[in-house]
Amino acid sequence: MLAVARPEYVIIASPPRFHEAQAIAAMQSGAHVLVEKPLCITVSEAEAIEACAKQTRRQFTMGVQRRQSRAMRAVKQFIQDGELGTVYHSRVWAGHIMSYAWGQYHHRKEMSLGGVLAATTVHTLDACLWLIGAPEPLTVTASTFRRLDKMKSPHVSFEGTATDSTVEDFGHAHVRFADGSSMSIEGNWLMHPTKHGNGFEILGVNGVARDVAPYVELEEGTKVIPYEFNHEEEPDDAVRQEHVEFIDAIRGNGIPIVSFQEALTVQKILVGIYTSAESGKEVSVKDLA
């Protein structure tokens, strides 16, 4: 296809196992590339994609679903302007109500890097990291668990049986950053019904930014004061808007909304989570490959 069609823009939406080879092949053929999350399987694969993008001078971005929100962009500007004060901790959680991710490979570790954290929580993780300025992660401590094949009456939302799953459907992690802040991350594909199954909280010295209205609550002494944002109207289709903005960047109008540094930061945290969970120990991000 690359040789015959010579596309200008390629979207890599295959299982993560194939992302590195396909992204590099697309860029070497002359195409600009959007790689769907998670970026790939290892940190070294991510670095190889970055090296190819630089060598071929092709535009790159990662497919995630939260940055297109105009309200989120208003919160980012608010934090960037220092209105929330120094951020010292953030919380991220995301998953599904009693359902694995749709598709034929998310439940297979050899194809997908991991389960709920890599496939679902990654969207909220990326958004929160973006809001706080993508600080450099230093260490990750994590634990994971698979409940599906241990349940009395599991609901299987993929082709096969519960015992076919080789990924986590629950995971929790703690990340320390170079700027002194920290983050807790939790993912769960088998949540009980809840109104807030996905979200984040960003704790700053002046207040809290949340993923549910009112996005920011500031403090005056013991008083909590909601802050209301004025922002542009939200796009009708966030995924379409993602591609519109990347095509604009390809044409020279702006830059990709996800930089490689940001995509690599997400990749390092995900790889750190699974490395720590497997070893049962805290891991240093700089030692990840």
Side-chain angles (χ1 to χ4, degrees):
M1 182 273 289
L2 294 174
V4 174
R6 307 298 297 182
E8 295 179 62
Y9 174 29
V10 169
I11 301 166
I12 306 295
S14 55
R17 176 182 176 183
F18 306 114
H19 284 187
E20 178 199 17
Q22 292 176 341
I24 289 175
M27 288 186 287
Q28 288 177 339
S29 77
H32 305 281
V33 174
L34 179 148
V35 182
E36 281 292 342
K37 57 73 196 170
L39 183 57
C40 47
I41 300 294
T42 67
V43 173
S44 59
E45 287 180 355
E47 292 171 340
I49 296 172
E50 178 186 25
C52 184
K54 290 179 178 178
Q55 180 184 10
T56 59
R57 298 184 180 180
R58 297 296 87 188
Q59 293 279 18
F60 161 88
T61 195
M62 182 170 70
V64 282
Q65 297 173 356
R66 305 297 304 278
R67 299 193 188 198
Q68 289 71 38
S69 166
R70 279 19 187 188
M72 292 279 281
R73 293 181 183 185
V75 174
K76 178 174 176 56
Q77 189 63 52
F78 186 85
I79 295 173
Q80 188 173 306
D81 291 343
E83 299 296 331
L84 195 65
T86 300
V87 171
Y88 59 92
H89 184 68
S90 49
R91 306 184 184 111
V92 169
W93 66 94
H96 295 167
I97 305 300
M98 286 295 179
S99 177
Y100 270 46
W102 177 87
Q104 303 307 312
Y105 64 85
H106 292 297
H107 63 290
R108 298 169 56 193
K109 183 174 178 61
E110 75 277 10
M111 298 293 284
S112 59
L113 172 62
V116 61
L117 294 167
T120 303
T121 314
V122 62
H123 289 293
T124 309
L125 169 61
D126 169 80
C128 192
L129 283 168
W130 172 63
L131 290 174
I132 64 176
E136 177 189 358
L138 296 179
T139 63
V140 181
T141 306
S143 60
T144 58
F145 186 76
R146 181 171 60 253
R147 184 158 76 100
L148 187 71
D149 56 349
K150 302 171 184 66
M151 299 171 70
K152 291 183 179 180
S153 302
H155 168 66
V156 179
S157 53
F158 51 83
E159 290 185 6
T161 67
T163 56
D164 291 329
S165 174
T166 56
V167 300
E168 87 287 353
D169 47 48
F170 176 85
H172 181 269
H174 182 269
V175 182
R176 289 195 305 112
F177 295 103
D179 65 0
S181 68
S182 58
M183 175 183 286
S184 65
I185 305 164
E186 183 174 309
N188 189 352
W189 269 340
L190 301 176
M191 281 190 280
H192 288 198
T194 176
K195 292 182 179 179
H196 303 301
N198 301 275
F200 64 78
E201 288 188 336
I202 299 171
L203 311 184
V205 296
N206 296 336
V208 180
R210 290 193 173 96
D211 194 22
V212 292
Y215 276 86
V216 169
E217 292 177 342
L218 298 176
E219 302 162 4
E220 289 186 4
T222 59
K223 294 181 180 179
V224 174
I225 304 169
Y227 183 91
E228 295 187 8
F229 287 95
N230 293 316
H231 56 78
E232 299 176 25
E233 184 177 350
E234 296 288 1
D236 293 332
D237 186 332
V239 176
R240 181 182 185 278
Q241 187 65 26
E242 173 186 8
H243 298 294
V244 167
E245 293 181 3
F246 186 50
I247 290 169
D248 282 343
I250 290 171
R251 291 171 171 166
N253 302 320
I255 60 174
I257 191 170
V258 182
S259 70
F260 211 97
Q261 178 189 355
E262 293 168 333
L264 189 58
T265 296
V266 173
Q267 183 70 19
K268 287 178 178 178
I269 290 174
L270 289 176
V271 173
I273 286 172
Y274 293 116
T275 303
S276 173
E278 185 174 348
S279 67
K281 301 176 181 178
E282 180 179 71
V283 299
S284 172
V285 170
K286 68 178 181 180
D287 296 331
L288 299 174

